[in-house]
Amino acid sequence: MSGSSIHTVTSSPQLAVDNDESLNKMLSVIRKHLEMDVAFYSEFVSGQRIFRAVSKSEQKMSAIEVGDSDPIEETYCGKMSNGEFDNIIHDAKKHEGASKLDVTEELGIGAYMGVPITLSDGAIFGTLCCYKSDKDNSLNKRDLGFLNAFAEIYRDLFEERMQHTCIIDQMAESTLAALELDLLTVHYQPIYSLENNLICGYESLARFNSQPYRPPNIWFDEAELVGMGEALQIKAIRQALRDIKKMSSHAQLSVNIAPEYILNGAIHRVLDDVDPSRLILEVTEHSPIEDYEVFREQLAPLRERGVQLAIDDAGAGYASFQHILELEADLIKLDLSLIRDIHLQPKKYALAKALCTFATATTCVIVAEGVEVIEELRVLEKLGVDRIQGYLTGKPMPIEEAVLHQYSLPL
């Protein structure tokens, strides 16, 4: 170590390592194996040594606490990392350098052992150290090897978390770009009434103008991860609401929304100054609802104003069936996975038939998504499906194209 210099991480995120149970357990193992009073790992941040976790023996009342910090150059950690101190100090009170540091007396350091936690790029993340109040001439290279082995484990964990943090930062930057640079646009897929042989509405679907292209679900999933899910969903809904005036007066507009943004009032604020009587809120299979009674109460004022509720992705999983039973929806949307090749697969037909029977009994409208071929359409007509949506009747398109789009039911 002699002659080396400290290259510190100057802007480290917290990495969610504080109070990490597994790291604390390892500290306890280190302390007990080496028969030390205190073991800790620290992080070097912007010239400061910060204690991130500390393990103490029951008999030792150490002044060290998690979060305490000192200038690196004034610490054992710093001097060990830059080569001024050896990794092992058997008797700090007789050590030429250590005996002059106030911390030796303040913490009652007798014997000390420490190693840097060095990242793959050569930067020193921090240190893994331990000490006891008594001197200890028995500490040797084998003990140092033991400590170094754990330092490598810590390094691997920290680098994994740094990489994760970097990915999260990139997600946040992408989401901010979508919010601030108008990367988000809205396309509209026609919804066709089999009863009236007319387009009766549109589902608004977000699209993102970015290179390389990424599907909308990736954008919304990442936005949720970085705490911007509400902002992105509400932006898409506001944009769709601006376009509703371009649609024919009989057309309804369906928008996708996560239940939490109904529960927290976000959608209520969006609809304060608009007529929502042509709006359909689609709650998806992928969104859990913890308390259906509270959800119904939050939704009630909107339904009184004419907003309709649709259960999306029905048939894709258990949650959609629970939504159907609990929420008294106005519409049930059969998932495209159920519709695909329904004319060839009896099990899909049977499930769709059951849902259609339920809808009839509860005066609920059935919408089939993902309809692509005439054969699927014929089966859905036989089942009594009310509305269809899919590439057969029209792909998602900009509002200017959507309002001009026509479809004629094949004879």
Side-chain angles (χ1 to χ4, degrees):
M1 291 294 297
S2 179
S4 66
S5 61
I6 298 175
H7 173 203
T8 64
V9 179
T10 57
S11 58
S12 169
Q14 192 66 21
L15 302 178
V17 294
D18 298 79
N19 302 317
D20 186 294
E21 184 177 357
S22 61
L23 297 178
N24 292 339
K25 284 182 177 179
M26 283 193 282
L27 276 181
S28 180
V29 170
I30 291 167
R31 179 181 58 77
K32 292 176 181 178
H33 178 80
L34 295 174
E35 298 180 345
M36 293 290 190
D37 295 328
V38 178
F40 64 85
Y41 77 82
S42 71
E43 182 180 2
F44 293 172
V45 181
S46 301
Q48 294 286 309
R49 186 277 317 275
I50 305 173
F51 293 107
R52 292 303 190 200
V54 181
S55 173
K56 310 172 187 179
S57 65
E58 294 180 0
Q59 295 77 25
K60 181 67 177 180
M61 297 298 293
S62 171
I64 292 177
E65 298 295 340
V66 172
D68 289 349
S69 64
D70 300 283
I72 292 174
E73 65 273 9
E74 299 176 9
T75 66
Y76 275 62
C77 296
K79 294 182 181 297
M80 177 272 298
S81 296
N82 68 17
E84 291 183 51
F85 284 5
D86 293 332
N87 297 96
I88 299 175
I89 296 177
H90 296 104
D91 188 348
K93 294 178 176 59
K94 292 185 178 180
H95 187 275
E96 182 179 358
S99 62
K100 298 176 182 178
L101 294 180
D102 293 339
V103 70
T104 302
E105 186 66 29
E106 291 171 1
L107 298 181
I109 298 177
Y112 162 88
M113 181 183 297
V115 293
I117 302 173
T118 306
L119 303 178
S120 299
D121 64 0
I124 294 180
F125 176 89
T127 58
L128 181 59
C129 305
C130 52
Y131 67 86
K132 65 195 316 183
S133 56
D134 298 328
K135 66 179 181 179
D136 188 347
N137 292 320
S138 69
L139 297 174
N140 54 40
K141 289 184 178 180
R142 178 174 294 179
D143 297 323
L144 188 61
F146 176 82
L147 197 60
N148 269 313
F150 275 93
E152 290 181 7
I153 295 173
Y154 275 71
R155 177 202 65 202
D156 292 343
L157 290 171
F158 294 150
E159 288 191 325
E160 180 180 341
R161 294 177 188 200
M162 284 179 170
Q163 183 180 16
H164 177 71
T165 300
C166 182
I167 292 171
I168 292 295
D169 289 343
Q170 291 171 357
M171 291 179 183
E173 290 177 8
S174 297
T175 305
L176 281 172
L179 291 169
E180 298 176 359
L181 302 179
D182 291 327
L183 297 183
L184 185 153
T185 61
V186 179
H187 284 196
Y188 300 87
Q189 185 166 37
I191 300 173
Y192 186 85
S193 170
L194 293 180
E195 179 183 0
N196 299 326
N197 296 331
L198 292 172
I199 290 173
C200 59
Y202 305 87
E203 180 180 356
S204 65
L205 299 163
R207 295 292 183 265
F208 294 86
N209 301 318
S210 65
Q211 294 297 330
Y213 171 79
R214 296 191 305 159
N217 64 299
I218 300 297
W219 285 90
F220 285 106
D221 288 347
E222 290 185 358
E224 289 292 337
L225 284 172
V226 298
M228 299 183 197
E230 178 181 326
L232 195 59
Q233 282 199 29
I234 295 303
K235 182 179 177 68
I237 291 171
R238 287 188 186 278
Q239 190 163 329
L241 288 171
R242 287 196 295 269
D243 286 337
I244 196 171
K245 61 182 179 292
K246 301 176 183 178
M247 303 173 187
S248 62
S249 59
H250 73 275
Q252 293 180 300
L253 173 65
S254 294
V255 298
N256 293 279
I257 186 166
E260 56 261 38
Y261 307 134
I262 294 174
L263 286 166
N264 70 8
I267 191 63
H268 296 69
R269 294 187 289 272
V270 172
L271 301 179
D272 272 345
D273 302 321
V274 301
D275 176 9
S277 60
R278 293 163 59 192
L279 190 66
I280 300 171
L281 298 180
E282 295 192 13
V283 177
T284 72
E285 144 76 19
H286 310 292
S287 305
I289 297 175
E290 300 297 334
D291 191 323
Y292 282 100
E293 182 176 355
V294 173
F295 184 85
R296 288 191 296 268
E297 290 173 357
Q298 283 293 96
L299 193 61
L302 295 179
R303 300 188 82 167
E304 289 172 4
R305 294 176 62 194
V307 173
Q308 292 187 304
L309 178 69
I311 306 302
D312 199 11
D313 304 330
Y318 171 77
S320 61
F321 293 115
Q322 192 73 10
H323 290 354
I324 290 168
L325 291 172
E326 295 281 357
L327 296 180
E328 300 176 356
D330 302 287
L331 301 93
I332 297 173
K333 302 192 73 174
L334 305 183
D335 187 69
L336 61 86
S337 65
L338 180 59
I339 302 305
R340 183 75 67 249
D341 295 331
I342 192 171
H343 58 294
L344 301 174
Q345 299 187 32
K347 290 182 180 179
K348 290 186 176 183
Y349 178 88
L351 179 54
K353 183 178 181 180
L355 287 167
C356 289
T357 301
F358 176 88
T360 300
T362 56
T363 63
C364 188
V365 172
I366 284 281
V367 184
E369 296 184 289
V371 182
E372 293 191 352
V373 297
I374 295 295
E375 291 80 4
E376 293 168 347
L377 172 61
R378 295 307 183 202
V379 170
L380 297 170
E381 288 177 314
K382 180 180 177 181
L383 287 172
V385 165
D386 302 288
R387 303 173 188 176
I388 61 171
Q389 176 182 349
Y391 273 41
L392 179 65
T393 52
K395 65 180 182 179
M397 59 193 88
I399 187 62
E400 293 78 14
E401 295 179 32
V403 296
L404 296 175
H405 182 74
Q406 300 292 325
Y407 175 75
S408 297
L409 186 67
L411 297 176

